[in-house]
């Protein structure tokens, strides 16, 4: 393997976005509410420490929130989407490849370097995102995606304990074994509550204990998916970028061009290719779509002029047909295209 995996995880993402937009919120407890302002869907560290859980109904927790002086905000998904794209663009500058796992998480492939040098890369990326976008992030690095997740969890725990800034590179054996002994089996990426109960009944409480189980038992009780997770914890990469996705309502197909593109004809050609691949990915995952959004950007680097824009539209029916996506994307490009820009 000539690369390792990094998980870049934005901290308290919706709250962090609001604080970038309104600096007066820094140092103040902040809670962001769901679409109907009914539940808390994002919390600052101050709100978490006060014991307010994720998904807390506002009417039940209003008194506790008011007691600590919480700023309670409605969600602003336009802002969050824009900030997410900026973070991902910065990661893309450093990475060999990028998977936008969710609005606040991304997996990146990085060159396989020494642990010391990877630590430097992680810290540089963390500082660069904070400086250019204002969003605090953690960076966990490992030889597999699952171990990158473990590294992120450890970086989070270390930061809360006052050690470091949230970056951590998974160590080699035997230090890795000691790290995995401290990871509860229920915190392993891909181990749901049902499998957690099964493993605990077998006396397995940690990630180290899980990966030591015999392969036949894991495959029999947890299918090939569980076996892949075990191999990942052992250091063998089984999950390439884009192979694993969360349950979701969106799918993004985005790539940088090899060189900046100016003509509308070339952009249309790129859109057609992206539309075809997006349709393939939908079919692979058994999904269909009723809407589509097209966005283009020059990226906010290099010489101006800079320009970014996006527009969404509906499809005539729920579909995974490439022709429907290609036709809709061509139409959506028209109102956002601006000549004289080199699109990245």
């Amino acid at each position: 393997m000539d690369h390792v995996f990094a998980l870049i995880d934005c901290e308290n993402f919706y709250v962090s976005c609001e604080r970038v937009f309104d600096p007066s919120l820094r140092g103040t407890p902040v809670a962001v509410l769901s679409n109907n302002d009914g539940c808390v869907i994002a919390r600052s560290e101050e709100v978490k420490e006060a014991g307010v859980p994720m998904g807390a109904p506002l009417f039940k927790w209003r008194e506790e929130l008011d007691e600590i002086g919480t700023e309670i905000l409605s969600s602003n998904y336009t802002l969050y989407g824009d900030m997410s794209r900026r973070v991902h663009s910065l990661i893309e500058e450093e990475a060999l490849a990028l998977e936008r796992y969710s609005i606040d998480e991304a997996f990146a492939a990085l060159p396989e370097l020494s642990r010391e040098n990877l630590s430097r890369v992680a810290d540089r990326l963390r500082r660069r995102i904070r400086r250019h976008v204002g969003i605090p992030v953690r960076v966990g690095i490992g030889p597999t995606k699952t171990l990158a997740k473990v590294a992120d969890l450890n970086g989070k725990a270390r930061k809360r304990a006052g050690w470091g800034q949230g970056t951590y590179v998974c160590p080699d054996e035997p230090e890795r074994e000691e790290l995995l002994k401290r990871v509860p089996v229920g915190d392993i990426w891909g181990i749901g509550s049902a499998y957690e109960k099964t493993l605990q009944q077998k006396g397995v409480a940690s990630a180290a204990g899980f990966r030591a189980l015999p392969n036949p038992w894991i495959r029999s009780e947890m299918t090939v998916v569980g076996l892949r997770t075990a191999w990942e914890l052992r250091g063998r990469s089984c999950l390439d970028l884009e192979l694993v996705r969360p349950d979701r309502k969106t799918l993004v197909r985005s790539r940088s061009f090899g060189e900046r593109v100016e003509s509308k004809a070339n952009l249309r050609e790129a859109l057609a290719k992206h539309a075809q691949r997006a349709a393939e990915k939908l079919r692979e995952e058994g999904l269909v779509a009723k809407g589509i959004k097209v966005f283009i950007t020059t990226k906010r680097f290099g010489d101006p002029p800079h320009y970014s824009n996006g527009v969404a539209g509906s499809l005539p029916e729920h579909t995974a047909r490439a022709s429907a996506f290609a036709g809709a994307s061509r139409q959506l490009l028209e109102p956002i295209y601006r000549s004289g820009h080199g699109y990245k």
Side-chain angles (χ1 to χ4, degrees):
M1 184 174 66
D2 59 355
H3 66 272
V4 295
F5 296 93
L7 173 65
I8 299 89
D9 190 355
C10 300
E11 295 185 336
N12 308 325
F13 182 58
Y14 292 174
V15 170
S16 296
C17 291
E18 296 288 352
R19 284 173 168 171
V20 172
F21 185 74
D22 182 0
S24 69
L25 296 174
R26 295 173 184 170
T28 299
V30 178
V32 177
L33 302 178
S34 56
N35 282 333
N36 60 359
D37 287 348
C39 300
V40 175
I41 59 170
R43 304 158 295 161
S44 67
E45 289 298 322
E46 298 89 349
V47 175
K48 292 178 182 179
E49 291 172 1
V52 179
M54 177 67 79
L58 179 60
F59 77 94
K60 287 186 177 181
W61 290 85
R62 188 67 188 243
E63 185 176 342
E64 288 84 353
L65 291 168
D66 288 343
E67 283 180 359
I68 60 173
T70 306
E71 288 286 343
I72 301 174
L73 306 174
S74 298
S75 50
N76 182 348
Y77 294 107
T78 300
L79 170 64
Y80 310 149
D82 180 63
M83 297 296 279
S84 177
R85 286 190 292 273
R86 296 186 191 189
V87 171
H88 289 159
S89 293
L90 284 173
I91 300 169
E92 201 169 26
E93 292 288 314
E94 298 275 353
L96 301 173
L98 176 69
E99 176 188 340
R100 293 167 172 83
Y101 184 68
S102 67
I103 194 171
D104 60 350
E105 289 181 287
F107 281 105
L110 299 176
E112 188 175 22
L113 305 171
S114 68
R115 192 180 182 208
E116 182 180 0
N117 285 332
L118 285 172
S119 293
R120 293 195 184 100
V121 171
D123 192 59
R124 181 175 71 240
L125 184 57
R126 177 192 65 80
R127 288 185 284 107
R128 191 177 182 206
I129 293 172
R130 187 61 182 264
R131 181 170 64 250
H132 289 284
V133 187
I135 299 294
V137 302
R138 297 188 308 273
V139 183
I141 297 178
T144 69
K145 291 174 77 173
T146 304
L147 286 172
K149 274 277 193 178
V150 169
D152 175 51
L153 288 174
N154 194 52
K156 181 179 182 179
R158 287 166 60 88
K159 184 175 181 179
R160 285 183 171 174
W163 304 335
Q165 296 295 321
T167 61
Y168 187 78
V169 180
C170 191
D172 295 328
E173 304 288 0
E175 290 84 357
R176 185 183 301 166
E177 173 75 8
E178 295 303 313
L179 169 64
L180 294 178
K181 286 179 180 178
R182 301 194 298 271
V183 177
V185 70
D187 287 350
I188 302 171
W189 187 42
I191 300 295
S193 57
Y195 284 147
E196 179 185 8
K197 184 177 180 180
T198 298
L199 290 166
Q200 288 178 341
Q201 289 174 345
K202 190 173 176 62
V204 176
S206 71
F210 169 64
R211 73 170 186 168
L213 289 171
N215 290 342
W217 186 91
I218 296 175
R219 181 155 190 164
S220 172
E221 298 294 327
M222 302 176 64
T223 75
V224 69
V225 176
L227 186 57
R228 285 175 184 161
T229 300
W231 277 115
E232 287 256 319
L233 289 171
R234 297 165 187 164
R236 172 179 162 183
S237 180
C238 302
L239 306 173
D240 203 356
L241 294 184
E242 300 189 348
L243 180 60
V244 172
R245 291 283 184 176
D247 294 335
R248 58 179 174 179
K249 297 182 179 180
T250 62
L251 182 150
V252 177
R253 170 64 184 176
S254 174
R255 290 294 183 274
S256 292
F257 305 133
E259 57 186 20
R260 293 188 182 273
V261 174
E262 294 190 10
S263 75
K264 187 187 295 185
N266 287 343
L267 279 177
R268 283 174 174 167
E269 181 180 351
L271 273 176
K273 292 179 180 178
H274 286 332
Q276 180 179 356
R277 181 60 184 134
E280 291 172 358
K281 291 171 69 177
L282 282 170
R283 291 194 295 271
E284 288 170 2
E285 300 188 28
L287 301 174
V288 292
K290 188 64 167 65
I292 183 171
K293 179 175 182 178
V294 172
F295 67 89
I296 52 176
T297 181
T298 60
K299 289 193 173 182
R300 300 186 182 275
F301 306 102
D303 298 329
H306 298 302
Y307 174 73
S308 297
N309 205 345
V311 63
S314 297
L315 297 167
E317 59 182 357
H318 288 85
T319 183
R321 291 187 296 110
S323 59
F325 297 151
S329 65
R330 284 195 300 271
Q331 294 178 8
L332 294 173
L333 177 64
E334 293 297 322
I336 62 175
Y337 173 77
R338 299 289 183 272
S339 62
H341 295 284
Y343 294 101
K344 185 67 175 175

